[in-house]
Amino acid sequence: MHPGSTEGKTEKQIKILTWNVEGLKTVMESVPGHIFSEFDIYTLTETFITDTSKINIRGLYNIHVPARQGERGRPMGGISCLLKNHMAPFKVVRKEENVLVVKTQTCLIIVAYFQPECSATDIIENLAQALHMAAIQDRIILSGDFNCPIDKQTRKTREVVAFLQEEGLKLVNSKNMPTYICHNGGSAIDLVFIRGFSERGQRQLWNREEAIIRKHLPIATGMQTEEIDRTCKSMPSI
């Protein structure tokens, strides 16, 4: 192969949906069914599902971290990663209350949810452990609700974003695109970071008027990578 030649390489495009669903059961009952068919990867937070054996979204691999039920009130947290069939094989390499890590042959997927009271130190420590699962050459998608509003640039946000940038990850979101809507405005707290991908655009699935059924907007992110054609080689085990 000549230097600079593209022979033997293929471009792989991936579409990911990032969403704090504020209750996955309710979402499954109220949103159009096609929303769970048009993306390759779904990273969902605040699912409020305590018994994950009772949740299965058809046509997708379902990987769940259960929510935590306190002595009273609704459950807290809950994380899900849903994958289209072509993302297999995959391996769950870390599964904790705030972070879920799934390794596929395309990339390492990290889904994270951090409560508002989590400090920058808490977030960074958890993410550092998750990123430790990645090899230097691994492509990474880090997605979820960090409760770090990039439009307000708090000290917590600055420290967390700076840490991830030092780890070679790029923030995809624009501070001008809110992902959380409330009566007095909104903020961008549901974030996507990538490494080893080129961004192909990001959009909200709903507008502000439609967001009344949920405070958090689902965010669609397109990305693309080049990878070596491995058709003549055995695929590495994961």
Side-chain angles (χ1 to χ4, degrees), residues 3-24:
S5 170
T6 58
E7 182 182 352
K9 292 186 178 181
T10 58
E11 292 182 346
K12 186 160 188 153
Q13 296 191 15
I14 293 177
K15 293 194 298 181
I16 177 174
L17 182 75
T18 303
W19 192 9
N20 180 323
V21 294
E22 301 172 273
L24 183 53

Side-chain angles (χ1 to χ4, degrees), residues 42-237:
Y42 296 78
T43 60
L44 311 178
T45 56
E46 283 206 292
T47 62
F48 302 155
I49 302 297
T50 55
D51 186 355
T52 58
S53 66
K54 295 181 179 179
I55 288 291
N56 183 56
I57 298 178
R58 296 179 61 183
L60 297 165
Y61 289 107
N62 286 234
I63 310 162
H64 304 290
V65 174
R68 177 164 49 89
Q69 179 63 65
E71 293 183 2
R72 54 185 175 180
R74 73 181 186 187
M76 296 175 285
I79 301 171
S80 294
C81 179
L82 312 177
L83 302 175
K84 277 281 187 70
N85 289 342
H86 70 83
M87 297 299 297
F90 61 87
K91 181 179 181 180
V92 179
V93 296
R94 196 173 189 90
K95 200 173 183 180
E96 297 182 346
E97 180 179 347
N98 295 104
V99 176
L100 172 62
V101 184
V102 181
K103 185 173 179 63
T104 74
Q105 295 190 82
T106 302
C107 61
L108 191 78
I109 304 165
I110 303 173
V111 191
Y113 172 68
F114 295 103
Q115 297 85 351
E117 63 269 20
C118 287
S119 68
T121 300
D122 293 332
I123 296 172
I124 290 170
E125 286 181 355
N126 275 273
L127 292 180
Q129 292 173 8
L131 290 168
H132 184 68
M133 302 291 102
I136 294 176
Q137 70 274 15
D138 281 347
R139 299 179 180 90
I140 298 174
I141 297 172
L142 168 59
S143 176
D145 181 354
F146 297 77
N147 273 294
C148 291
I150 59 171
D151 53 313
K152 296 180 173 59
Q153 283 298 303
T154 63
R155 179 179 177 181
K156 180 169 78 168
T157 298
R158 288 195 300 270
E159 291 180 359
V160 171
V161 172
F163 163 74
L164 292 172
Q165 289 175 339
E166 289 172 1
E167 293 294 318
L169 282 87
K170 173 187 175 183
L171 175 64
V172 175
N173 301 68
S174 165
K175 65 180 181 180
N176 298 318
M177 186 173 69
T179 66
Y180 174 80
I181 306 296
C182 55
H183 67 281
N184 60 350
S187 61
I189 58 176
D190 304 287
L191 308 177
V192 179
F193 295 83
I194 56 177
R195 188 179 85 182
F197 291 93
S198 57
E199 180 195 347
R200 304 296 291 178
Q202 192 173 61
R203 63 186 173 89
Q204 298 167 334
L205 261 63
W206 298 330
N207 58 36
R208 285 175 177 265
E209 289 70 29
E210 294 170 315
I212 190 170
I213 64 172
R214 282 289 183 278
K215 293 178 182 177
H216 291 258
L217 294 168
I219 303 299
T221 305
M223 57 193 75
Q224 179 177 295
T225 186
E226 286 188 348
E227 61 181 15
I228 303 300
D229 183 2
R230 301 176 182 174
T231 54
C232 296
K233 300 179 181 179
S234 60
M235 299 297 286
S237 60

Side-chain angles (χ1 to χ4, degrees), residues 28-39:
M28 293 171 64
E29 296 168 356
S30 61
V31 303
H34 67 79
I35 199 171
F36 288 114
S37 64
E38 60 180 293
F39 297 92

